Each structure stands twice: as C-alpha cells, then as structure tokens.
Amino acid sequence: MTTPEAAGPLDPFEAHFHREPLQGAGVALILLVDATATAEPDAAAGVLASCVAWLQGEGGRSVQSRVVPVDRASPRLNALIEAALEAVDQPIVLICSAVEPIAPEHLKPLFQSIDQADHVLGRRPAAPLDEVVRWIACLFRRLVFAAPFLDVNSPCQLHRTQRLRAIPLQSGSSFVNVEIVAKATFLGHLLDEVEIPALAGAVWSRGRFKDLRMVLKAPTFRPVGGSSSAPLEEAEGQP
C-alpha cells in the first residue's frame, strides 16, 4: 500500500480560478454621494452606520471610510474612484452609492462570495416589468461588452482592491460600472452577482453615451505585473 504523495502546485487552470480567502481582511468603504447631499452632515453617517458596526463587530474587520461628493452636472466618477483607491490601503473595497442605510443583510452575501471572486455585485429584486427591461439591457451589454450582470448599477459593489486598481477607468458617468465589469472580464478576473434585499441607490447618467462610445472604440488597459491573467511565458520573436 503506497502513501499518497503530498499535494503539488495547482495546474494553470486551477490556479487561475483559485483565490485566497479574505476572512477578517480590512475593508475600505467608498461612499459616492450627490454633492448637494453633503450639505446634510448626518446623511452619509446614517447610510454607513450599521454597515461599519457589522464589519467591525461580527466581521472583526478594520474599516476605512471615505465619503466622495459627486457633482451631478459633471460626475467624473473615474477620477473620483481612482483617487479614493489611492488613499486607502485595505485589501477589500466596498463601493457604495446607496441613499438609505446599508444593513448586514446587504453585505453578508457579498462577503461570502468575495473569497472565490475578484468583483461581486449585489442584485436587488425588481418588479416584473423592470426585470424585463433588465434582461434586455443585460443582453446588449453581454453582446457588446461581455458584461453579464443584471443589476450593473448596484449600490453595493465589493472588489479586491488590487484587482480594481488594475483597471484604468475612463467613464465619468455611472457607465463606469459597465466599464469595470467589461474590462474585468477581458482581463480574466472572476466575477459574481449575488442576491441582496432592495436598496435605493444614486445613478449619475450625464455623459453616459459619450462614455459608451469612448470605451467601445478606444478602451485603455495597463500592464499589471504578477497578474494571474498575464501570459505565463514571454512571447518569442521581435515585438
């Protein structure tokens, strides 16, 4: 009777789909709010209070919070999100655009999924007619951008920080949500969409058609050293 050999390294296929669990990892909360809403000092605190309490209490996680005002006339979400990412140093980032309190019920499915994924969006329930509209919009995004999510403008989006930083953002409007999913798919990142309870969120639509054309015609990427989706060997021949 032979002794089983010690488990060797994962093969390339398994390695691509393997993610280290992030149980107990710190979280950066980036709350995107209308600039006019920041005039109410308790508004942002009310949205994040139960969220922060759950993460620090039951989750035992360290939390960094940043409230980012967004000008509805000129959203510039790409620059705002990238600047916020540069200012945090936690391995997980939760990007929120909620306009009402975020409860633990919204967060638990996201944190259960992030151990096996790079980007997780919360899918809210929708009325029958709204669900039909979702499917039509999803079909367009799937065919054009390979972005399969139904609730792409979800107000709760959880990301591995390193993976999100690998995506250069071009869209100033909420089309940035489609851009992130499309570029993450192209880069071989792992994505998931999980069901969460209803939650109202803000959407910044100004400039979305311009963003759509820009991302469709001239998407930008940056090389990321050590990415699991990078080539395993250097290309032969002249560049």
Side-chain angles (χ1 to χ4, degrees):
M1 185 173 180
T2 59
T3 303
E5 296 182 359
L10 298 175
D11 65 49
F13 182 81
E14 291 178 329
H16 177 77
F17 288 97
H18 175 73
R19 295 294 181 268
E20 291 298 326
L22 294 172
Q23 296 177 2
V27 182
L29 298 179
I30 299 176
L31 178 63
L32 305 173
V33 299
D34 267 318
T36 54
T38 57
E40 303 177 14
D42 296 331
V47 171
L48 294 179
S50 60
C51 171
V52 172
W54 181 78
L55 289 171
Q56 293 179 333
E58 182 177 336
R61 302 174 186 268
S62 59
V63 177
Q64 291 178 309
S65 299
R66 295 187 66 84
V67 178
V68 180
V70 182
D71 182 358
R72 189 163 287 278
S74 178
R76 299 177 56 250
L77 288 177
N78 55 334
L80 294 174
I81 292 174
E82 289 188 335
L85 285 174
E86 288 300 317
V88 299
D89 57 5
Q90 303 293 350
I92 306 175
V93 58
L94 177 64
I95 298 182
C96 307
S97 57
V99 296
E100 56 186 3
I102 303 169
E105 290 73 21
H106 298 111
L107 302 176
K108 290 177 182 178
L110 299 173
F111 281 89
Q112 289 171 354
S113 179
I114 198 65
D115 283 344
Q116 294 84 38
D118 298 312
H119 313 272
V120 185
L121 271 63
R123 183 176 69 248
R124 298 163 293 177
L129 181 58
D130 293 334
E131 191 70 17
V132 172
V133 174
R134 270 187 182 181
W135 277 103
I136 294 172
C138 179
L139 179 61
F140 170 78
R141 292 192 298 266
R142 183 186 293 269
L143 293 175
V144 178
F145 294 103
F149 289 175
L150 285 170
D151 193 4
V152 74
N153 287 321
S154 171
C156 286
Q157 306 187 13
L158 194 63
H159 308 269
R160 291 180 182 245
T161 306
Q162 182 180 8
R163 294 292 183 169
L164 186 56
R165 284 176 176 160
I167 302 173
L169 305 179
Q170 298 171 262
S171 303
S173 69
S174 287
F175 187 78
V176 72
N177 297 323
V178 178
E179 180 186 356
I180 289 172
V181 173
K183 289 183 175 180
T185 302
F186 181 84
L187 292 171
H189 296 181
L190 304 184
L191 300 96
D192 195 13
E193 186 176 32
V194 296
E195 294 184 359
I196 63 171
L199 182 67
V203 175
W204 293 272
S205 300
R206 190 175 183 87
R208 68 176 183 270
F209 294 113
K210 176 184 176 182
D211 292 335
L212 186 155
R213 291 193 299 270
M214 176 173 54
V215 174
L216 184 62
K217 293 182 178 180
T220 61
F221 294 90
R222 65 170 66 97
V224 181
S227 170
S228 64
S229 43
L232 298 179
E233 299 179 359
E234 294 185 2
E236 296 181 0
Q238 295 297 321

